[in-house]
Amino acid sequence: MARPDRRDPSQIRALHCVLGQLNRVDGSAQFSAGDTSVLCGVYGPVDVKLYDEKLDRAHIEVKFRPDIGVPTTKDKWVEDAVRSTFEREILGQLHPRTLVQINVQVCQGDGSVDAAAINATTLALIDAGIPLRAMVAAATCVVRSDHSIIVDPTQEEADSALSTHTFAFSNLQTNSPAYVDSRGEFSIDEYNACYDMCMAAVDRTLAFMRTVVEGKILKETQTAL
Amino acid sequence: MVAETEPSNIETQFLLEALQRGQRTDGRGIYDYRTLKITGGSTPGLVTVQLGQTRVMARVSCTVTRPYPDRPTEGIVQFNAELSSLCAPHVDHTLRSQEVTVTRMLERVLRQSRAIDTEALCIVAGHKVWALRVDVHILDHAGNLVDAAAIAAICALRRFRRPDVTVDGETAVIHDVRDRNPVPLSIHHTPVCVSFAFFGAGELMVLDPSLLEEQSRVSWFTVTLNAHKEVCALNKAGGVPLTHEQIKRCVQIAVAKVDEINEKIQDAVNI
């Protein structure tokens, strides 16, 4: 079954990223995969409310806002997904009794928005200079009605899928996912096939992220000279 | 708590002394706008506006719904401005009240000025109409949210395409965007806001205030005009009164500025 945009089953959409566009936040990244575009801004480490203060590490807070309408429970789910992924990766012990606030704003949603949110967050945290244990990238796979598997689905492809699987891996231990979300009816073989396909997609995304960060450092050192 | 801090006395004093000499702290002229950049997204109905460092994103979407019972032949337009938490880690009441100001201004500028043809949004009178939703997300706040938000909203509305509809008596068929090209909205005119801030006893004035200027102002005045130089709305707020000569002068300046803004809008909406 051919894909509407003629991509191969294992082909991800064209990735694009701009860092540091916003002035008030400490770091920002506008991450796009095809028509899905997500803006992430990070404050940190900043003052924390007394209620949330943690004595030995930073408090991580995530706010996820959709492009259309007011936030709903679906968006709260993505907030939780991003927070649980990055609570492990951010070296919060270096900044006790502070807050790291991750703000994700969807600009355009065309499938794989939660994966884009995780990718944008990694880049925004790097732009803000927040210490991380590793870089984390995510990808989504769906199992279609004919049981074929495709990576990085558009909204249209995701709507008609039997099951959806989002995996996030760090660049340290690529055989141990940082985040997993599976929905729908699927077999173990389908799950494993999605796992492998997402891992390959994540490798490519991590390579892209490296290029983006290298570009930023190059620009900064050139300006300094 | 990282609250929105008021500018220090030294900063406000410096600003006022500079203005008394006809200079602004960011080096602009009194009547100079910051650089305006309007970018459309790949989806119609998404527009991002950058006015200096202020960054605003507008997104238009539509659904089919029942009309209000007292207006059975008119569609519904809803505005929602949100100061994204990107602007400040803890959005306090001062910033929240700015959200409300921007939403109210958008409603005055776009709905009450009859810029959008709501009768054209009717599908089946009394039963089905289009409900438009304009979500304005303020991504970066560096002063003058009203002007940026108004430009973003009107550009997004003009770029937006709704699904085509065929009506046959009481039944309507809404065509999928892949079967039939979506159609533009019916917009009568393009209103644009031009904002001024006043200082001291009201004798010092600037156009397009920056964040520091906005925090130090004593009064503000917004002129809303369209491309035909018709004044759609005048909005004055703040304790210090303005003379009618000042009001007339502001309107004249706005008339001169609206051409430049309109040119950029035309480039952005002609996709």
Side-chain angles (χ1 to χ4, degrees):
Chain A
M1 209 155 82
R3 298 177 78 165
D5 53 7
R6 304 270 183 273
R7 273 187 287 153
D8 288 338
S10 59
Q11 194 183 347
I12 56 175
R13 287 175 285 186
L15 301 177
H16 185 65
C17 182
V18 184
L19 295 180
Q21 281 179 320
L22 303 178
N23 297 286
R24 292 184 80 144
V25 288
D26 293 323
S28 68
Q30 172 114 30
F31 180 86
S32 311
D35 278 345
T36 293
S37 183
V38 163
L39 173 66
C40 179
V42 169
Y43 281 100
V46 289
D47 272 3
V48 65
K49 286 192 284 222
L50 211 56
Y51 180 81
D52 295 323
E53 189 178 349
K54 292 182 169 65
L55 297 177
D56 58 343
R57 59 192 195 283
H59 174 67
I60 317 290
E61 200 177 76
V62 179
K63 296 206 169 129
F64 180 85
R65 293 282 177 272
D67 50 346
I68 295 172
V70 288
T72 62
T73 45
K74 279 195 293 199
D75 307 309
K76 279 274 175 260
W77 183 278
V78 181
E79 276 181 12
D80 201 62
V82 173
R83 191 186 46 75
S84 59
T85 309
F86 287 95
E87 255 173 1
R88 289 181 57 231
E89 303 303 329
I90 294 172
L91 297 173
Q93 289 85 343
L94 293 176
H95 299 286
R97 301 163 68 213
T98 65
L99 164 71
V100 172
Q101 193 190 65
I102 298 166
N103 301 290
V104 183
Q105 171 74 57
V106 180
C107 300
Q108 253 180 248
D110 187 21
S112 311
V113 173
D114 46 356
I118 290 174
N119 295 333
T121 304
T122 301
L123 288 161
L125 287 165
I126 294 174
D127 191 51
I130 308 238
L132 294 175
R133 199 170 62 104
M135 276 169 36
V136 179
T140 306
C141 262
V142 298
V143 179
R144 294 191 286 182
S145 49
D146 62 349
H147 293 272
S148 63
I149 296 170
I150 49 168
V151 83
D152 193 17
T154 59
Q155 194 58 56
E156 191 192 332
E157 290 175 324
D159 285 341
S160 56
L162 292 176
S163 65
T164 314
H165 307 262
T166 303
F167 289 91
F169 296 95
S170 77
N171 62 344
L172 288 182
Q173 301 153 280
T174 44
N175 56 353
S176 170
Y179 175 74
V180 180
D181 183 67
S182 292
R183 303 156 189 231
E185 263 188 46
F186 52 92
S187 67
I188 281 288
D189 289 334
E190 284 170 344
Y191 176 88
N192 288 333
C194 288
Y195 183 105
D196 294 333
M197 212 180 245
C198 280
M199 199 194 286
V202 159
D203 279 339
R204 286 196 289 278
T205 311
L206 284 169
F208 169 76
M209 283 182 182
R210 275 201 77 90
T211 327
V212 170
V213 176
E214 281 168 8
K216 166 189 151 83
I217 294 170
L218 199 65
K219 205 169 78 170
E220 283 173 1
T221 46
Q222 276 182 345
T223 327
L225 294 168
Chain B
M1 262 300 243
V2 180
E4 184 73 5
T5 49
E6 278 179 21
S8 61
N9 290 342
I10 303 175
E11 281 179 291
T12 326
Q13 214 178 326
F14 181 69
L15 178 87
L16 289 172
E17 281 172 7
L19 281 176
Q20 272 152 8
R21 266 179 271 180
Q23 291 169 321
R24 290 171 83 162
T25 48
D26 55 5
R28 282 189 277 161
I30 302 285
Y31 304 130
D32 282 350
Y33 251 101
R34 286 169 291 182
T35 316
L36 173 66
K37 198 169 123 174
I38 308 173
T39 337
S42 58
T43 180
L46 171 68
V47 167
T48 306
V49 164
Q50 248 178 286
L51 182 59
Q53 289 185 351
T54 295
R55 201 180 187 99
V56 172
M57 179 176 90
R59 184 71 198 271
V60 178
S61 52
C62 65
T63 47
V64 180
T65 185
R66 287 190 78 88
Y68 292 133
D70 56 337
R71 285 176 209 267
T73 54
E74 281 182 32
I76 297 165
V77 187
Q78 203 187 345
F79 296 95
N80 182 43
E82 193 188 54
L83 211 81
S84 169
S85 41
L86 288 163
C87 290
H90 306 288
V91 180
D92 65 351
H93 65 276
T94 334
L95 291 175
R96 283 268 169 256
S97 66
Q98 292 206 342
E99 255 179 22
V100 174
T101 311
V102 174
T103 312
R104 291 234 178 90
M105 278 303 291
L106 287 175
E107 287 186 348
R108 281 193 67 175
V109 164
L110 294 169
R111 190 192 318 176
Q112 289 173 15
S113 69
R114 306 252 186 274
I116 306 166
D117 185 356
T118 46
E119 300 241 337
L121 297 174
C122 180
I123 304 170
V124 177
H127 295 284
K128 297 268 179 262
V129 295
W130 286 111
L132 288 179
R133 199 194 154 87
V134 183
D135 284 300
V136 173
H137 303 279
I138 298 157
L139 305 174
D140 216 351
H141 180 13
N144 205 4
L145 299 175
V146 166
D147 290 8
I151 295 172
I154 193 64
C155 285
L157 284 163
R158 285 189 56 181
R159 281 178 66 111
F160 181 65
R161 300 287 180 264
R162 63 159 174 83
D164 199 3
V165 180
T166 322
V167 184
D168 183 18
E170 289 282 303
T171 49
V173 175
I174 298 170
H175 302 277
D176 191 282
V177 296
R178 282 164 294 179
D179 298 334
R180 273 224 210 154
N181 278 339
V183 296
L185 298 172
S186 176
I187 313 268
H188 291 312
H189 61 105
T190 304
V192 159
C193 291
V194 178
S195 293
F196 301 85
F198 294 85
F199 308 87
E203 75 283 5
L204 298 167
M205 171 181 98
V206 297
L207 172 72
D208 182 26
S210 65
L211 184 63
L212 179 63
E213 288 165 348
E214 213 172 79
Q215 286 170 328
S216 320
R217 70 187 175 195
V218 293
S219 281
W220 59 276
F221 181 60
T222 302
V223 182
T224 309
L225 327 136
N226 60 25
H228 310 295
K229 314 284 168 79
E230 294 166 329
V231 173
C232 306
L234 296 175
N235 215 66
K236 189 252 171 219
V240 173
L242 303 177
T243 62
H244 75 268
E245 275 108 16
Q246 282 178 306
I247 306 247
K248 266 168 45 180
R249 199 174 51 177
C250 287
V251 175
Q252 280 163 354
I253 296 165
V255 167
K257 291 289 169 188
V258 88
D259 282 330
E260 294 168 28
I261 300 172
N262 248 301
E263 222 184 274
K264 292 227 163 92
I265 293 178
Q266 289 311 318
D267 288 338
V269 302
N270 292 332
I271 5 170

